[in-house]
Amino acid sequence: MESNKELDIRLREYFEWFHAHPELSYEEYETTKKIKDILDKEGIEIISYELETGLVAIVRGKKQGPVRALRCDIDALPVLEETGLSYASKKEGKMHACGHDFHIVAGIGCAILLNERKDELKGTVKIIFQPGEESARGALKILEADAMEDVERIWGFHADPTNEVGVIGIREGYVAAAADKFVVRISGVGCHGAHPDDGVDPMPIAAGIIQALQTVVSRNINAFHPALISVTRLEAGHTWNVIPETAYLEGTVRTMDKEDRVLAEKRMREIVENTAKAYGGKAIFEWHPGSPAVYNDAKMVELAKKIATCRKLQVVPQEQSMGGDDFSFYEESIPGCYIKIGTGVGQTIHQPGFKVDERVILPASLYIAELINS
Ligand code: NI
């Protein structure tokens, strides 16, 4: 078994390469090839699944036990990097601004450590290098490839720039929201701006709908349940003296509770259709379901806390987020746990100055490897 110091040096080199070569969702060809090359060099088995990008590594333990998985997302964002790092992005306008470069190397580190300890490993571990997390649907590619069929539980983690290295955020229950999209298509009757009485103006319909949608959270959803509705786009009209025929709205709904998700869709549809009707127009409501809420299994949470404490890591309550993570698609059939790993306090994720402190890579790999093997 090699010393941890040598492994640390190697993992940091890998990290700097991935950081310098970010690729967007479903374009992770170079990234996938590099992960494959590293795993080959490190003597780790790769299972071939039908995946355009992303891949699945496997470590088969010598002892009997279940199949577990670790999810590591691999894609980057369309952000122009401003970190000033010596190994900053070589691809202008693309950046590992969500720390998925760290997720890749911690996954590789974990695979190496587990592979070294195969004799004591009970069961099998699949390390999922997942594409397209930022698209919110990359997990479905892995599920559609049948890579999860035999897996009994799954671990996930995320870089956390609100905590220093050595701090782990863990929480039982819901930790990230269901992230759904909605679209509203309003139709009225266009006319001269000076003669609104000749038509049906879609503008007051849009305004009425936007106002009324906010009552879903304030009047329909239990006040103790986190939920929000954001209208993020409104398009209508071309000029100052013509009342247009149509208006278009879209936005997002975030909920934690499964019933609230159903209720929000129902109430929004009623409000949209009936408000338009009340003003003499029509509106079509479209609901585009995204990823469900991320839910942390109680037993897995307990284990994550215990091992963090044994490893002298500081455990803090994980902040709940109204952001989503497609990790939840895996949890629709098996228990999962998604933890936050402090990567040094600094600019938040998805920002041009976001940085991961490299000192986190080895301890994170050691922690996750032990967690999976427990
Ligand atoms: Ni992320």
Side-chain angles (χ1 to χ4, degrees):
M1 220 172 279
E2 68 179 329
S3 80
N4 282 344
K5 198 166 174 217
E6 286 163 32
L7 178 60
D8 192 20
I9 293 167
R10 231 155 62 241
L11 291 176
R12 287 183 191 217
E13 271 171 30
Y14 298 153
F15 171 74
E16 293 184 7
W17 189 93
F18 286 111
H19 187 83
H21 299 84
E23 292 175 295
L24 304 182
S25 298
Y26 308 116
E27 293 172 4
E28 311 97 333
Y29 293 99
E30 235 187 307
T31 305
T32 302
K33 186 174 180 306
K34 184 72 175 179
I35 298 170
K36 189 178 176 304
D37 290 348
I38 293 171
L39 293 172
D40 283 343
K41 202 178 89 191
E42 300 283 355
I44 292 156
E45 186 185 342
I46 294 163
I47 324 187
S48 83
Y49 286 114
E50 263 184 56
L51 289 167
E52 186 72 26
T53 55
L55 62 92
V56 179
I58 187 161
V59 181
R60 299 176 202 272
K62 296 270 159 64
K63 295 185 178 169
Q64 284 286 326
V67 183
R68 289 138 293 168
L70 172 69
R71 192 288 295 264
C72 309
D73 37 8
I74 66 171
D75 54 335
L77 287 159
V79 170
L80 183 63
E81 180 160 352
E82 287 172 14
T83 58
L85 288 166
S86 61
Y87 54 90
S89 171
K90 289 191 163 60
K91 300 184 178 183
E92 208 186 325
K94 296 178 187 176
M95 177 190 172
H96 267 296
C98 200
H100 299 184
D101 44 358
F102 159 61
H103 302 173
I104 297 169
V105 289
I108 291 172
C110 176
I112 295 170
L113 291 161
L114 290 170
N115 205 40
E116 281 176 352
R117 291 158 178 76
K118 256 195 224 174
D119 293 346
E120 310 135 46
L121 179 63
K122 295 183 206 105
T124 301
V125 177
K126 283 182 170 177
I127 294 126
I128 316 272
F129 294 95
Q130 181 208 297
E133 189 279 326
E134 299 295 353
S135 81
R137 303 190 77 77
L140 297 175
K141 297 270 177 207
I142 301 289
L143 290 160
E144 284 158 12
D146 286 336
M148 296 296 294
E149 258 190 341
D150 50 356
V151 176
E152 289 182 21
R153 63 181 179 187
I154 184 160
W155 295 93
F157 63 102
H158 206 287
D160 176 9
T162 67
N163 277 313
E164 293 298 352
V165 171
V167 180
I168 310 285
I170 310 175
R171 177 188 294 271
E172 187 187 327
Y174 290 114
V175 290
D180 301 309
K181 174 185 166 183
F182 68 89
V183 167
V184 178
R185 299 178 197 280
I186 301 164
S187 26
V189 177
C191 55
H192 194 296
H195 298 286
D197 50 310
D198 287 344
V200 176
D201 189 351
M203 299 292 193
I205 302 178
I209 287 172
I210 293 169
Q211 292 284 359
L213 285 180
Q214 293 308 326
T215 64
V216 175
V217 173
S218 71
R219 305 292 89 185
N220 300 127
I221 287 174
N222 183 324
F224 290 98
H225 294 187
L228 66 84
I229 294 172
S230 293
V231 176
T232 55
R233 189 171 170 192
L234 164 58
E235 281 175 17
H238 303 286
T239 187
W240 69 282
N241 56 0
V242 177
I243 289 175
E245 188 151 325
T246 60
Y248 176 91
L249 309 177
E250 64 181 29
T252 186
V253 179
R254 305 297 168 109
T255 50
M256 294 283 186
D257 190 273
K258 278 183 192 155
E259 286 166 19
D260 292 342
R261 196 179 182 198
V262 175
L263 177 67
E265 181 191 352
K266 180 178 167 282
R267 285 295 297 132
M268 288 175 77
R269 189 181 300 282
E270 286 166 358
I271 286 171
V272 165
E273 290 174 358
N274 292 312
T275 303
K277 211 169 161 188
Y279 287 95
K282 272 191 201 137
I284 295 167
F285 179 75
E286 291 171 19
W287 179 261
H288 300 269
S291 51
V294 177
Y295 186 86
N296 280 349
D297 175 77
K299 276 191 196 152
M300 292 174 80
V301 162
E302 211 176 294
L303 188 64
K305 282 184 183 169
K306 195 178 106 192
I307 290 176
T309 310
C310 289
R311 296 203 71 87
K312 307 235 166 355
L313 297 164
Q314 188 195 341
V315 176
V316 296
Q318 181 175 347
E319 295 250 345
Q320 286 176 296
S321 165
M322 295 311 275
D325 193 300
D326 66 3
F327 180 75
S328 54
F329 282 119
Y330 301 111
E331 298 181 310
E332 291 197 303
S333 48
I334 52 169
C337 183
Y338 178 91
I339 55 187
K340 289 277 182 81
I341 297 182
T343 48
V345 174
Q347 234 185 59
T348 179
I349 54 169
H350 293 214
Q351 294 301 303
F354 168 75
K355 275 192 265 191
V356 168
D357 184 332
E358 288 189 35
R359 285 174 300 179
V360 73
I361 299 170
L362 182 68
S365 307
L366 287 161
Y367 171 58
I368 300 163
E370 190 176 341
L371 196 54
I372 292 183
N373 196 21
S374 297

